Each structure stands twice: as C-alpha cells, then as structure tokens.
Amino acid sequence: MTLCFVLRSGSAGQNKQHTITKNTAKLDRETEELHHERVSLTVGKLIQQGRQGLGINQKELATRISEKPQVIADYECGKAIPNNQVLGKIERVLDRQTRGVRMS
C-alpha cells in the first residue's frame, strides 16, 4: 500500500486559526472606523408617503420592485445604505424622486 501526501504551496506551517483571528480583528477595527452613509429620514418619509398614496403596504411595494419587504422597511426607517438601483425601482413605482434628496 502506497500513501501519497499532497502539500499545497503556502499552506505548510501556517496556523490557520491565528490567520482567521487576525482577519476578524482587522475587520472589527475597520467596522469601528468606517461609517456608511444611510438613507435620510426625509427619503424614508417620501417613500412611505408615496406608498400610502398608492394604497399599498411595504410588502406590496417590495413585490413590485422584486425586493424583500425588509428592504422597504429599512429605507423607510433610515437604516438602509443607499443603493441607486433600489432607489430607481422605488422611484418608478411611486413616480416620485428620492435620489438627490439629502442623505444622513
């Protein structure tokens, strides 16, 4: 019986757990230092008013733009990171401009 071992280049002698811990710590530092722009409450109110003007709920708007209902909820309460594709789809359904409105 013959045994064959394959060594992957660059993996011999590395402590993978240590590497993962270092990467996690680095990610934590970056997360604490970086702050992403969020949709303003003004944009959220515009979306909510437009949606209510059409007589639809968050779930129905989400279905119309092929997104999850939580996406609409996040935009309306100012938790979402602005995405021009999502905002464009919302604008088309609501026939209301949301991009260019001051973000916070």
Side-chain angles (χ1 to χ4, degrees):
M1 180 173 169
T2 305
L3 294 176
C4 181
F5 294 96
V6 177
L7 291 177
R8 293 183 183 164
S9 64
S11 66
Q14 286 186 350
N15 183 343
K16 292 185 182 191
Q17 181 63 38
H18 180 69
T19 303
I20 292 171
T21 303
K22 279 178 51 177
N23 289 339
T24 303
K26 183 178 178 182
L27 181 61
D28 287 343
R29 280 193 310 277
E30 288 176 358
T31 304
E32 292 170 3
E33 295 169 5
L34 300 175
H35 300 284
H36 293 287
E37 184 177 0
R38 303 276 184 208
V39 174
S40 71
L41 287 176
T42 305
V43 171
K45 289 286 184 193
L46 285 172
I47 294 170
Q48 183 180 32
Q49 290 168 353
R51 178 178 57 75
Q52 290 172 340
L54 291 176
I56 60 175
N57 60 29
Q58 290 178 342
K59 184 177 179 180
E60 290 170 320
L61 177 57
T63 300
R64 289 186 186 190
I65 67 168
S66 301
E67 295 288 342
K68 294 180 180 179
Q70 187 62 46
V71 171
I72 303 302
D74 288 347
Y75 271 85
E76 288 187 3
C77 70
K79 291 182 182 178
I81 296 171
N83 178 313
N84 280 326
Q85 288 181 323
V86 173
L87 287 170
K89 291 190 288 187
I90 292 171
E91 288 174 351
R92 283 190 290 279
V93 170
L94 301 181
D95 194 29
R96 190 175 277 225
Q97 183 71 28
T98 60
R99 290 176 289 186
V101 175
R102 180 166 154 48
M103 306 287 182
S104 64

